[in-house]
Amino acid sequence: MDTNGDSAASGKYITLVSRDGWEFVVLREATMISPTIKGMLRGQFAEAKTGRCTFPEISGVILEKVVEYFQFWYKNQDKEDVSDMDIPVELCLELLVAADYFGLDKQY
Amino acid sequence: MSSRPSRIRPVRRPIINKETSEFEPCWQTIRDALVDIHKQNAGRLSFEHLYRTSYKIVLLRKGDLLYERVKEFEEEWFRDHIMPRIADLISPNLVNVAFVQPPTASAHERRHMGESFLRGIRDAWQDHNTSMNMVADILMYLDRAYTSSTKNASIYTATLGLFRDHILKNSLGTASTDREHPFLVFDILNAVMLDLINLERDGHVIDRNLLRTISSMLEDLYETDEEIEHQKLYLTVFEPRYIENSSVFYRNECEKFLRDSDASSWLRHTRRRLMEEQDRCETTISILTSDKIARVVQTDLFLSRMDEFLAMEGSGLRSMIDNDRLEDLTILYQLISQVDRTKTPLMVPLQSRVMELGLEIEQTLKNTDFSVPATGAGAEGEDGDAAEKGKSQTLTAAAQQTAAAIKWVDDVLQLKDKFDNFWANCFDKDIMIQSAITKSFSDFINMFPRSSEFVSLFIDDNLKRGIRGKTEAEVDVVLDKAIVLLRYLTDRDLFERYYQKHLARRLLHGKSEIHTEKEMVLRMKSEMGKIFTSKFEGMFKDMELSKDLTDKYRDHISSLGDVDTKKIDLNISLLTTNNWPPEVMGRNVNQEEGTKLECTYPSGIKRLQESFFKYYLKDRSGRVITWVGSAGSADIKCVFPKVPGKESGPLSKERRYELHVSTYGMIVLLLFNDLGDGETLSFEEIQAQTNIPHVDLTRTLASLSIAPKARVLLKNPTTKNIKPTDTFSFNSQFVSRTIKIKAPIISSLSKVEGDDERKETEKKNDQTRAHVVDAAIVRIMKQRKQLSHTQLTTEVITQLAGRFKPDVSLIKKRIEDLLVREYLERVEGESAYKYLA
């Protein structure tokens, strides 16, 4: 998918910002698993222009786990028999909500 | 997962708090964003914010409301911002262009107006499409959580569909209702596109990309939001009108060409139009239409009046064939094979033209023949007796007839070359066309009653010419062609008969090269099978054995030291009866006269014959040799003494010549050896002494007393015909420039048969056929025991197909005959037969 709509946003990395101010610099391609971020970056919206996405309702703890998942998916997308990612039980409800928000439900 | 006991953290729900839990404020956010998107101000919007807003609305279970509100917004947007601009483009002039035929505005004006209208539509569409993509993105969660659980189309599809309902299917209010027939924007769009395409067909330059964009818009829009593949607006609305419009256009064009032009330019034009339409589908409209529009051109421009074009005087199919217009034929073939797998429209006229040209050859032949034998016929008339007509005249007439035969074959071959050339260069070596042409050739060749004879004569002529300095390669080519013709013949048995006769003459008189002969027969063998050539091969074998025998006999004689026979050198051709044609074997004569006739040989010759026979029987007992005088030849050394009283000139000296004559000629001449000066012999006396058959004697005497080069006998009276009352004497004054003289030997010339001979040959052939059919019937019945009449007839025809095509009546007759001879019996109550062992 062509994500390079704008010169400012065509960088290899994008920045994800949490409610509490944590910033995560992620490989753009790794975030493409999320249709939400994908849509965010392909149109002509502010995020696409700046390459910076702010999520005012997601905490740094959760966003970190989400980013971890992006990387995990990116590294292992073509492999078989990959062991599951470690999910702390206490975060799982919040993560489910975040997964829904990021559209991570129907991918694999 | 983890052994450490831990409490699951509850989800904190800042999403559903007081400030943001109301629908209306959320909707307001979205609505403002929609306006910005349409105004291309999306850059200042946060996607996350909008996404989250719609996400919340969905979580509030207000997805349906959002869905409807978005649609309402778009409808409003069209009404307030888009339609006014489009309506401005639809000037009354444009409406006139679209609905008044023929258009009154100039081409330039029409193009200009049409293109700006299309540009307006295109821009509106492209804006809408871009915006809807963005809207669909921010409303992603709506599709995911709400739309997919209902029967509604996705928000993108639904909003895109609005363009169809509110722009294309907009009826424009008063602008349209004022008219007799209200119309939609879509109608104008179609009309403008068609008008532009027709302008291009007439040679104007139009904005192809613009049309292409509009076409893909119509491909992206569907009749309903279900987006069923075959319900693209392009297919349901535009294409049918396009096809109909094109059909009218090409029908008119076809009429125009029929009126003003010729078949050749029509063909080229049709080809060009087909390519143009193909190109148009690729660059201007849609590839979806390419097959359909090709069919329109094929049907309306090509097929509808094809017969009339092909029948055109001077440029139609006939002219293409006659003048070798290869390119025209190529185009024609290509076009026809696109429309008709059977290619009947090409094949049928092609076949009939082959037939016509074939029959023309025959006709030309008849016309040329007419003048030639006319003189001969006149001479015959005086005489009243065909058998005794003048020899020299017969010769020329015969030679010319032979020439006609060769001309026929040459012409047929030329015609064949012509059509082969078409086939290879124009018709893509099409197998169906090949067999069609072959069939027509076969038809007209077999309609010509003398084809078998002529083909054999043609081969005869070429094999004889092979000696006369034609290169082997050239002969090869001709022989190949002869084989081609042979393939066409259905009456192969008749050909076999003629070929046997002609081959016999060539072999016995050493007229051709034996290896070329063998080569020819080899080719026939591979073409027609072993049985067909067995007799010819037998003849070759006879010739080889004879040569061997002659050598051995000569050795034998010289070992005896027999001085007496030394003077006569004997060359034997020992022929096996069955392999050689009956005419050569002298059987013909025997049958006619009813008695076993053998001419009386002079004693010297007789002694030689006896000596050879004795030698021959030494190794083989119980054999019989019949001496066939009519087939042989002899070299005679003759001495013409000095003529008394002549002191100068050639007559004053003794002259020695070597005379080449037929065997009969030799016998006759030897009679004159015993005669005194001035003595004569009458025709009847000669016949009585020699016992040579009447016809042969006539010929022999004619060759010795009429042909000027070899007139060693004087005839009284000196007419050009031989009559039984004529008398002959030794021509002591004979002079020749050359030492070796050849008396024309009539039997060595292969010539066209006269009508009587021909009937004779056919009669004999029919007799043979009767036997062949008999044999086939018996063979079949022996195997099958019982067969119905029809089955038997079919079987016989199949079995004999390689040799000839038997008449059904002939088969019936032969069956009757076999019934009488009790080979078969009828099965009672059925039309069937049983074999009797």
Side-chain angles (χ1 to χ4, degrees), chain B residues 648-667:
Chain B
S648 62
L651 292 179
S652 60
K653 289 174 241 160
E654 190 183 81
R655 287 144 288 139
R656 285 174 181 276
Y657 296 118
E658 212 168 279
L659 203 56
H660 182 79
V661 294
S662 67
T663 310
Y664 286 149
M666 171 193 72
I667 297 171

Side-chain angles (χ1 to χ4, degrees), chain B residues 641-652:
Chain B
K642 174 182 166 191
V643 176
K646 294 272 177 179
E647 296 310 325
S648 62
L651 292 179
S652 60

Side-chain angles (χ1 to χ4, degrees), chain B residues 72-102:
Chain B
E72 275 166 32
F73 173 85
E74 288 304 324
E75 286 166 21
E76 251 171 65
W77 188 264
F78 282 147
R79 191 174 59 237
D80 299 341
H81 296 91
I82 311 295
M83 267 322 287
R85 269 191 276 158
I86 289 177
D88 279 352
L89 290 170
I90 304 179
S91 60
N93 271 345
L94 185 71
V95 177
N96 279 337
V97 167
F99 298 106
V100 180
Q101 291 296 341

Side-chain angles (χ1 to χ4, degrees), chain B residues 360-393:
Chain B
E360 229 169 71
I361 293 177
E362 199 183 325
Q363 206 53 46
T364 320
L365 210 61
K366 267 191 199 141
N367 291 343
T368 7
D369 269 2
F370 228 71
S371 59
V372 179
T375 51
E380 252 172 64
E382 289 172 27
D383 218 61
D385 188 354
E388 282 183 55
K389 59 187 166 183
K391 181 155 189 177
S392 57
Q393 275 170 339

Side-chain angles (χ1 to χ4, degrees), chain B residues 786-797:
Chain B
Q786 186 173 328
L787 272 182
S788 78
H789 179 79
T790 356
Q791 279 174 312
L792 182 55
T793 312
T794 326
E795 283 262 346
V796 171
I797 292 175

Side-chain angles (χ1 to χ4, degrees), chain A residues 19 42 47 90 100-101, chain B residues 12 48 51 137 141 144:
Chain A
R19 178 186 62 200
R42 80 172 154 221
E47 287 90 341
E90 66 273 18
D100 184 44
Y101 173 86
Chain B
R12 298 198 295 152
E48 199 277 340
Y51 174 79
D137 275 349
Y141 197 79
R144 212 143 58 80

